Amino acid sequence: MKISLVSAPAAELNVDALAVPVATGQKLSGPALELDKTIGGVLSEMVVNAEFRGRIHEVLPIPVQGRIAPRRVILYGLGAVHDLDGQRLRSAHHELVRASRTWGYKRMAILRAEPLGMDSLKGVVEGCVMGTFERRSRQTGAAPERREIDELSLSGFGSGREHEVVSAQENGEATNRAREWQNAPPNELTPDALAQEATRIAQRHNLEVEVLGPAELKSGGYNLLLGVGSGSARPPRMIRIRYHGNHDRRGASATVLALIGKGITFDTGGISLKAPDQMSRMKDDMSGAAAVLSAIDVIASRQVPIDVMAVVAAAENMPGPNAQHPGDVWVSADGKTVEVVNTDAEGRLVLADALTHALRNGATHLIDLATLTGAATVAIGHAASAAVSNDDGFWSFVEKAAREAGDRVWRLPIYADYRILLRSQIADLRNAEYGEAGTIMGGMFIAEFAGGKPWAHIDIAASAWNTNSELTTILRGPSGAGTRLCIELAQAMAPSERNSWPPESVKES
Ligand code: BES
Ligand code: ZN
Ligand code: MN
């Protein structure tokens, strides 16, 4: 999809459809009202009569009888203005594009009108690009009805903002790449395949990449990852990509942001086997890995001036003759002993070793993304990722990034009182069986391995994949949750453009 900013009057755009945003309870105004007059007032008539209400995801094509250059006008809803955050803005445009594809439009335009401000450009573009995502890439036979949009023109968003469009398009495409990986079947996307994807990304940008297999994992003491992977014929991998973006501030004080992803390519639960109805979705248990890999791809290609590493702990959690037992005790890579009371609480195990791996390789700030707990769905549902953090300062960056990305996160508390629930009778820690505060406890287990560094844990178990058929304004199926969050976090933590570039010495001359 080619996206461009256009300055010609919207009524003169040679497109199949011109989309006009409408919020509930708002009348058409400005350029939307002008357009409406040109075509005889049919738009405001429909709005005033409540034939079109402007509800989010409401999309309605209207014939214009040749009165303007566009063949159709599309009214599309944004919902109530006071509900319109970055995530809903993207969702509305996702749906606009998705619906337009089913109608076969090739060339589209969007008219910026109230309540979309000039600052909505990024969300509009990201949402539209996400709307091009196609889940049915593995269907054979008759081509699916869903068609592609070739050109998208943006009217009324000003000029000279091409770089913003390009960045937003990259963010949207990165989100879709993560969704593609989430969607990939587990016989395709194995731990090794995930490592190959990471290697491809690293090679594309000339980045350092390291993939540890069972032998290296053993010598490095990554027994928690090995334990989780031991039931599978597909061996585990610890994957690390390193991007050096900060050329100005080398040395001990420099920030090295680690993006850490849970990469369980299939989670059967292991010996603590899941019930069939809870297992079918578990191919997406690598959604955290998908997000961090997709994010570092963009961070590197955009040359964000900060040092970043992506670490993925990849394994398949299977029952089998070599599978770990409930009751096994392992020495983790950082030396703590862990009693595995439930093999289905495998995410925190592999992440514990992944955090240690990141710290060993110089990480100063840690964020992990993981489809960690079913309890996240209970706590806040699919509408946001659940989070915990040990550091208010770092958290403020995460929160800012989430807002900028339209990728919601909601922080849950860590109370010291819970810590006793992590205790094992025979080891330093146990991995499950707490009975309450499941999402927080999962996070608190991981926190034990953060080495006291600023850390945030994003539980995307619910946000990565909306399975609720009634919750229709949240993207259904794979969402790529956390992808844009990671990109924005790196950007938010990078020294600001003005400070870092050009360097003082260059500025003087
Ligand atoms: N991958 C699951 C969490 C999950 C559940 C993700 C539902 C997406 C949808 C994770 O490995 C898991 O099984 N967690 C257990 C933890 C429990 C045993 C402490 C859970 O949530 O039931
Ligand atoms: Zn899992
Ligand atoms: Mn599990």
Side-chain angles (χ1 to χ4, degrees):
M1 189 164 69
K2 187 174 170 294
I3 307 176
S4 43
L5 296 160
V6 296
S7 50
E12 292 169 21
L13 293 174
N14 186 12
V15 292
D16 296 314
L18 171 63
V20 177
V22 180
T24 52
Q26 284 209 332
K27 290 197 189 118
L28 297 184
S29 64
L33 193 58
E34 256 169 63
L35 176 79
D36 184 43
K37 283 184 189 144
T38 321
I39 59 172
V42 61
L43 303 182
S44 31
E45 189 190 323
M46 300 206 71
V47 171
V48 168
N49 285 345
E51 292 165 272
F52 187 86
R53 295 167 190 265
R55 284 176 300 209
I56 188 166
H57 282 205
E58 193 180 357
V59 184
L60 182 69
I62 297 171
V64 293
Q65 322 288 15
R67 277 185 268 206
I68 52 173
R71 199 164 56 79
R72 296 276 188 273
V73 164
I74 304 176
L75 293 177
Y76 71 102
L78 298 174
V81 173
H82 59 81
D83 292 331
L84 189 62
D85 66 355
Q87 187 155 318
R88 278 170 70 95
L89 177 68
R90 283 158 182 81
S91 183
H93 288 85
H94 188 291
E95 184 59 20
L96 166 66
V97 165
R98 198 200 57 76
S100 299
R101 288 170 62 210
T102 68
W103 295 323
Y105 302 149
K106 293 282 161 209
R107 309 174 72 186
M108 277 191 69
I110 293 175
L111 178 65
R112 188 190 68 79
E114 285 300 314
L116 295 185
M118 292 302 264
D119 61 352
S120 68
L121 177 61
K122 178 180 188 170
V124 168
V125 172
E126 288 182 0
C128 287
V129 172
M130 285 157 65
T132 66
F133 178 67
E134 180 54 67
R135 266 189 84 184
R136 296 178 289 184
S137 54
R138 287 168 187 79
Q139 285 182 352
T140 62
E145 269 303 281
R146 197 75 38 100
R147 286 160 283 197
E148 301 310 326
I149 291 164
D150 298 328
E151 284 176 34
L152 173 63
S153 302
L154 302 171
S155 171
F157 287 87
S159 58
R161 303 181 72 188
E162 281 73 17
H163 61 287
E164 292 174 61
V165 172
V166 169
S167 294
Q169 185 160 12
E170 285 169 358
N171 292 354
E173 283 164 0
T175 308
N176 288 350
R177 209 166 309 121
R179 297 165 88 188
E180 198 70 61
W181 283 326
Q182 291 184 274
N183 203 36
N187 59 329
E188 260 178 46
L189 198 63
T190 61
D192 183 55
L194 210 45
Q196 287 174 30
E197 293 288 351
T199 305
R200 264 193 287 278
I201 291 169
Q203 282 168 350
R204 190 153 61 234
H205 306 293
N206 234 324
L207 307 178
E208 179 190 334
V209 59
E210 172 199 66
V211 178
L212 307 184
E216 295 95 342
L217 290 172
K218 192 144 205 344
S219 58
Y222 298 98
N223 296 315
L224 297 181
L225 176 56
L226 282 167
V228 169
S230 61
S232 170
R234 301 176 168 104
R237 298 277 186 265
M238 184 77 84
I239 306 161
R240 185 177 59 89
I241 299 178
R242 182 68 160 84
Y243 162 68
H244 294 273
N246 187 355
H247 302 291
D248 302 341
R249 299 181 195 182
R250 281 276 160 79
S253 65
T255 294
V256 182
L257 174 65
L259 310 173
I260 302 170
K262 172 179 175 182
I264 299 297
T265 60
F266 196 76
D267 181 13
T268 65
I271 297 297
S272 312
L273 197 63
K274 286 183 186 295
D277 58 320
Q278 285 159 5
M279 204 188 288
S280 55
R281 209 198 102 193
M282 286 301 140
K283 68 171 183 179
D284 86 326
D285 215 14
M286 33 53 67
S287 300
V292 304
L293 290 178
S294 201
I296 200 165
D297 192 6
V298 173
I299 292 165
S301 82
R302 199 173 287 166
Q303 304 202 331
V304 180
I306 179 175
D307 282 14
V308 180
M309 74 173 83
V311 174
V312 167
E316 198 180 55
N317 188 21
M318 298 283 284
N322 285 318
Q324 64 179 347
H325 321 88
D328 281 355
V329 174
W330 301 109
V331 183
S332 68
D334 102 325
K336 290 187 185 69
T337 56
V338 175
E339 181 186 10
V340 178
V341 295
N342 187 329
T343 65
D344 197 13
E346 85 295 343
R348 65 202 69 184
L349 299 175
V350 303
L351 285 167
D353 275 355
L355 262 67
T356 303
H357 192 54
L359 292 171
R360 283 180 181 174
N361 285 283
T364 61
H365 294 72
L366 308 158
I367 182 167
D368 75 75
L369 288 88
T371 43
L372 206 80
T373 63
T377 314
V378 179
I380 45 178
H382 297 92
S385 303
V388 290
S389 175
N390 64 359
D391 189 283
D392 292 344
F394 184 47
W395 177 254
S396 69
F397 281 101
V398 175
E399 200 166 45
K400 178 170 174 249
R403 225 176 302 117
E404 190 65 32
D407 196 350
R408 293 186 192 130
V409 296
W410 193 265
R411 187 183 183 186
L412 302 173
I414 292 180
Y415 297 121
D417 309 80
Y418 292 137
R419 224 173 282 140
I420 196 165
L421 300 175
L422 288 170
R423 275 201 204 147
S424 159
Q425 298 300 312
I426 61 169
D428 297 334
L429 293 165
R430 62 174 173 176
N431 80 326
E433 308 265 285
Y434 316 113
E436 64 179 75
T439 301
I440 295 171
M441 295 311 304
M444 286 180 69
F445 180 94
I446 299 168
E448 295 289 319
F449 297 85
K453 299 276 196 244
W455 157 86
H457 161 68
I458 313 294
D459 192 334
I460 58 174
S463 56
W465 197 294
N466 176 10
T467 48
N468 184 337
S469 60
E470 289 175 68
L471 201 56
T472 53
T473 65
I474 306 292
L475 306 192
R476 275 172 293 176
S479 69
T483 307
R484 295 188 313 286
L485 171 70
C486 287
I487 298 170
E488 297 294 346
L489 180 63
Q491 292 186 165
M493 291 182 67
S496 81
E497 301 244 291
R498 236 175 56 237
N499 293 339
S500 69
W501 192 260
E504 291 304 321
S505 54
V506 176
K507 269 189 239 165
E508 304 290 274
S509 57

